[in-house]
Amino acid sequence: MSTSAPVREDPDRVELAIGGMTCASCAARIEKKLNRLDGVQASVNFATEKARVDFGPGIRVEDLIATVEKAGYTAELPPPPEPEPAAAAGAAAGAAEPGGPDPLLQRLRISAALSVPVVLLSMVPALQFDDWQWLAFALTGPVVAYGGWPFHRAAWTNLRHRAATMDTLVSLGTLAAFGWSVWALFWGDAGMRGMKHGFTLAVGGADAASTLYLETAAAVTTLILLGRFFEARSKRRAGAALRALLDLGAKDVAVLRGGREVRVPADRLQVGDRFVVRPGEKVATDGVVVEGTSAIDASMLTGEPVPVEVAPGDAVTGATLNAGGRLVVEAARVGADTQLARMAKLVEDAQMGKAAAQRLADRISAVFVPVVILLAAATLATWLLVSGNPAEAFTAAVAVLIIACPCALGLATPTALMVGTGRGAQLGILIKGPEVLETTRTVDTVVLDKTGTVTTGRMALTAVHTADGEDEEEVLRLAGALEHASEHPIARAVATAAADRVGSLPPVEEFAGVPGRGVQGVVDGHAVLAGREQFLADRSQQLPEELVRAKAAAEQAGRTAVAVGWDGRARAVLEVSDTVKPTSAQAVRELRALGLTPVLLTGDNRAAARSVAAEVGIDEVIAEVLPEDKVATVRRLQEQGRTVAMVGDGVNDAAALAQADLGLAMGTGTDAAIEAGDLTLVRGDLRVAADAIRLARRTLATIKGNLFWAFAYNVAALPLAALGLLNPVIAGAAMAFSSVFVVTNSLRLRTFQAARTD
């Protein structure tokens, strides 16, 4: 989008990269400024350093950028994708430019090297030689000026805009400590030759004119730089899963041009292009196999460990690995339309969101810094009135300024979301946003659509019943050959099973079909019939008693019975049904272990539904429901006081997924279902639904834990500092630790594992 873009007539959304933020109060301030514009709704994320802005007619992107810049920060549209997404993302998160030094690390190293002797000289009287204080002063100056320059610059910028942030507190505290020391050295008694300086962890001092705070100015600056370095590094690690996801795609591809292979960048592929995927190469984009057979390993994208066999006509997904033979694929989706791009977009969207508790933390952060400054001033005045000792009063006031840390509040939600959603993406679980996490905690009922969710959604041969004296393999050979000529799903199930059991099938001649009744043809000289019982009876082929019983039992269980006969005699009954996925029973057990009551929902007849329910361990069955009635069914359960999760994959599930308190869309299903779901399960294994709920609940618990400790830290630390129970150096170390603690706690989500790996 160029800076000369016209005024937009319809509501639009843009994502801006924000520069200059140093704490949560910065993000809250930018968000407040943007939201003051007419028709603008903005959300600013401190951890990802991005702003998502929805705006309407009359607002241009340039207006949004100008508003951010007027607030004292920078804003720009994210740069276009680079060849190495991971490197680009790392730079955006605060990493050093490729091949260049990390400015923050360089500043930290210099400050640490200068601060260590200052702290030792100030804290250990035995090391204090004549005029040691002047050496300490000479070493502290560069630390405060150079090491603390980012804080001072940001504080000055905020002051010009009549605002205060965390940098204001740090700058005030360190400059006050250094300024006091300058006064004591040049106009007090601290510069006298032979002066000794004791050290205590509590406030206090004998003579204000001989008290130095050089170690406070140097150590606090270095400790906060250290905290920011670890925080930046942890934030980069928090986003590593998303960067790895973005980096999965192929970088180049062999496109067929005039029968020749031409190597081009993968982003230049067009819909309809045919490209070659050799063994060991990644599929460049979503497409359909037009030539060759192979096994596709999708584990890096979906978490599914078993490779899937593909042949001409099968769909393949970009970024999956060709583990077998050479394939020629026709591109069906490119760019932002591919499954990989859509997964990445869902993860990024989730990371930009804010939980209800985080919105409260943001409001607190917006007023936190001014309150702390007032509290420091009140502490100074109170100590002066009570003790009359300026050194004690000053020490307590500086400790109050330095201990305050809204950064931890700002990092609590976004870092946990970054890690949780990134880990989910690695396991084939896409979380749409933090609001989803709140719902997972209260869900008590999970409604499972049967076809395609609990079952495979594909018909398969489940049993063969033969008349006395008939050979099962011969039945399959002749019936499979006949059905192979039909496109009906039941016919394909019989033909596939026959080919698997007996190998190659003979050709069929004089094939003919009667819609809704059956098919007939000549196979190896036999006149073969397959279809309904009446279809054979009309041709004088009555089922013997044993086959009548087998047919009745199959239909009682909800399966489809196919009668087979040839040469004037009924020979067998084949049972065909939609088979239950091998992992569905275990998935139901895992959902029950999470405290959820499973309900099977289907439009099939009650017999078929109860048969499937019994096989997977579900007690509550709602059958014979029309597609348009699924929403009403979910609503009825909600009216009973239940909090309902819905798992589905078809177009007819989309409305029910939206109606449910929590919608889980199987990624193997339709776009409509995926769009309606709150959680998207990339692969068709129902066990992932249980994993998704466990991950969402654990992410929510981490967010709440982060917020608790961030609030508790400030509630406990500020009174301690005001009462004079914290030395400023200890306060600086504790302040830096709080942010690192929150980010490190979030990183524990990277260890989340699926309940099983088989």
Side-chain angles (χ1 to χ4, degrees), residues 523-740:
V523 180
D524 280 352
H526 301 286
V528 185
L529 302 174
R532 295 179 180 272
E533 179 184 4
Q534 190 60 45
F535 181 66
L536 271 69
D538 290 344
R539 289 153 179 80
S540 302
Q541 297 187 20
Q542 303 291 337
L543 293 182
E545 186 61 30
E546 65 269 24
L547 293 186
V548 171
R549 289 195 299 269
K551 173 180 175 293
E555 291 174 344
Q556 182 68 28
R559 302 185 181 95
T560 299
V562 179
V564 178
W566 63 83
D567 297 342
R569 180 182 170 193
R571 313 278 182 154
V573 167
L574 310 180
E575 286 188 27
V576 178
S577 67
D578 179 10
T579 56
V580 172
K581 293 178 181 178
T583 58
S584 291
Q586 183 180 347
V588 169
R589 290 194 296 272
E590 292 179 12
L591 290 168
R592 286 189 185 278
L594 292 171
L596 306 178
T597 301
V599 177
L600 188 68
L601 178 65
T602 181
D604 282 356
N605 63 71
R606 295 185 185 279
R610 292 197 177 280
S611 174
V612 170
E615 188 171 344
V616 299
I618 296 177
D619 300 323
E620 191 171 349
V621 178
I622 303 174
E624 299 178 4
V625 177
L626 296 174
E628 56 269 26
D629 293 335
K630 288 187 176 182
V631 174
T633 301
V634 172
R635 189 181 295 119
R636 186 171 66 253
L637 291 171
Q638 291 170 326
E639 290 170 352
Q640 295 172 5
R642 303 194 195 187
T643 303
V644 180
M646 168 79 184
V647 186
D649 74 329
V651 172
N652 59 1
D653 297 324
L657 287 168
Q659 172 64 37
D661 299 286
L662 179 69
L664 292 90
M666 305 292 276
T668 53
T670 64
D671 291 346
I674 294 171
E675 185 65 29
D678 301 308
L679 291 164
T680 299
L681 315 177
V682 175
R683 67 185 208 256
D685 188 338
L686 186 58
R687 294 178 299 180
V688 183
D691 292 334
I693 293 175
R694 285 197 305 115
L695 175 61
R697 287 180 176 179
R698 183 167 165 186
T699 302
L700 177 64
T702 302
I703 289 173
K704 291 189 172 182
N706 285 347
L707 287 169
F708 170 80
W709 286 111
F711 275 115
Y713 170 86
N714 283 290
V715 168
L718 282 172
L720 289 175
L723 292 172
L725 301 177
L726 280 179
N727 180 275
V729 174
I730 304 301
M735 191 277 284
F737 171 76
S738 67
S739 295
V740 176

Side-chain angles (χ1 to χ4, degrees), residues 124-141:
V124 184
L127 300 177
Q128 295 169 0
F129 50 85
D130 289 345
D131 296 326
W132 67 270
Q133 65 271 41
W134 294 101
L135 174 61
F137 169 70
L139 295 174
T140 303

